Structure formats: structure tokens, C-alpha cells
Amino acid sequence: MAEADITLAEERAGAKLPTDLKTWLQIVGYGDINEDLSFRFEWLRQVEQGELKGAVLFAQDGLGNFYAYVPSDERIVFFSRSAPEYSVLAPSFRAFMEELERRDYETEC
């Protein structure tokens, strides 16, 4: 993915992407992991309400749950499609991806 594409992604997100997410997109680009976790340009958008207003969605799993980063500290959070709560999954995109790798890229435990 070219730098111009990263700039476009940040414009859509309304915030800077975490460095590790930028690197991921530059190397891998958008797409799916094991048909379970989907990285798409169209997922990039800010959460508009609630405690994590301003967090940026960046991926969706096969069950319709979303994954986001918080621009102020880059932690990764999980938003369930069926409940109003969220869970902090990792302190960074790198830590999130390392945990996914440890789980053989399966989002469900």
C-alpha cells in the first residue's frame, strides 16, 4: 500500500493510524485473515458516541464484531455487535497481532 493510500485511510478515519497498523497496511494491505478477521477501508470510521467516542474501527470479524484503536493511547478494543460493552484486548496493534498469531489467527477462543 502506498503512502497516499495511508493518507487517505487516515482522512477516512479522522485520526492518525498507529505506526504498527500503518506498517501492517503498507506490507499486507486490506484483506482477510483465515476468513475470520477482515481489514477493509470501509471499516475505518470513528465511534460516534459513548465512553470511547473517537476510537477508530479498523477490522471486523466473521461474527460482525468490530475492532478499534483509541488514538490517544493506541490500545485495541473489541466492540461486540450484540452488546453495548467493549473490552480492551491489547495495549497496541503489535500486541494485538502477536496475540492473534499465538492463537493461529483465530478470533474466537
Side-chain angles (χ1 to χ4, degrees), residues 54-90:
V56 178
L57 304 175
F58 67 87
Q60 184 179 37
D61 66 25
L63 298 175
N65 303 303
F66 279 100
Y67 298 78
Y69 68 90
V70 179
S72 62
D73 61 12
E74 297 188 356
R75 66 192 150 135
I76 303 301
V77 295
F78 168 86
F79 288 98
S80 173
R81 70 180 174 101
S82 59
E85 298 87 19
Y86 68 88
S87 298
V88 176
L89 296 178

Side-chain angles (χ1 to χ4, degrees), residues 1 17 20-22 24-25 28-44 57-62 66-69 76 93 96-97 100 105 107:
M1 178 176 288
L17 298 175
D20 292 333
L21 178 54
K22 281 185 199 181
W24 169 269
L25 291 173
V28 179
Y30 298 114
D32 298 340
I33 298 175
N34 291 346
E35 298 181 15
D36 187 43
L37 187 62
S38 172
F39 291 81
R40 298 277 188 272
F41 178 78
E42 53 268 20
W43 301 148
L44 292 170
L57 304 175
F58 67 87
Q60 184 179 37
D61 66 25
F66 279 100
Y67 298 78
Y69 68 90
I76 303 301
F93 183 77
F96 171 68
M97 292 306 292
L100 275 179
Y105 297 97
T107 58

